[in-house]
Amino acid sequence: MVRTYYRGPAGIVTETHFVRVGDGRTFPLSELRQVGTTQHRGAYYVPVVVGTVCAVLAGALVGLIVLRPWAWAAGGAVVLAAVIAGRFLLARNRLTYTLQAVYRGAEAELYSTTDATGFAQVCRALRRALENR
């Protein structure tokens, strides 16, 4: 009987295989080399951060340079709008966790998700399976 280390929506990790549930692709553990993880943000992360910082600085400069009550209100409104928009856009651009390995001489993506807890469970199960083979 084959021991199962993890069974969930992401995949199945047994003492001999890693199986992706989505497409059913099977990776024998004996053929996996250099298993590792990466983390990355979406393509719009840096432009959103830079745009938000520039808008906040522009709003603050308007309030400081013009020195009129309406300029303080306008600068504050720009800063507030930039912070809210930046926060909203960054919340939609979540961190993606990826489990990779070299499989039969080529890099293969074993698993990818934005769920940190589920990712940690899959990684822990795969690590245990690799240690116990």
Side-chain angles (χ1 to χ4, degrees), residues 44-62 75 78-87 89-90:
Y44 298 113
Y45 182 77
V46 172
V48 166
V49 170
V50 170
T52 301
V53 168
C54 289
V56 166
L57 290 175
L61 285 175
V62 165
V78 168
V79 168
L80 183 62
V83 169
I84 290 171
R87 177 81 172 127
L89 292 171
L90 289 178

Side-chain angles (χ1 to χ4, degrees), residues 86-106:
R87 177 81 172 127
F88 173 74
L89 292 171
L90 289 178
R92 297 187 66 200
N93 200 350
R94 297 174 58 189
L95 191 61
T96 301
Y97 304 94
T98 305
L99 179 61
Q100 299 172 255
V102 174
Y103 175 66
R104 296 184 179 167

Side-chain angles (χ1 to χ4, degrees), residues 67-131:
L67 294 177
R68 300 264 191 249
W70 61 266
W72 283 96
V78 168
V79 168
L80 183 62
V83 169
I84 290 171
R87 177 81 172 127
F88 173 74
L89 292 171
L90 289 178
R92 297 187 66 200
N93 200 350
R94 297 174 58 189
L95 191 61
T96 301
Y97 304 94
T98 305
L99 179 61
Q100 299 172 255
V102 174
Y103 175 66
R104 296 184 179 167
E107 279 209 19
E109 182 178 296
L110 302 177
Y111 174 60
S112 184
T113 185
T114 57
D115 176 26
T117 305
F119 184 75
Q121 291 173 345
V122 171
C123 288
R124 186 171 38 253
L126 183 59
R127 186 175 349 105
R128 287 182 183 155
L130 290 170
E131 288 172 355

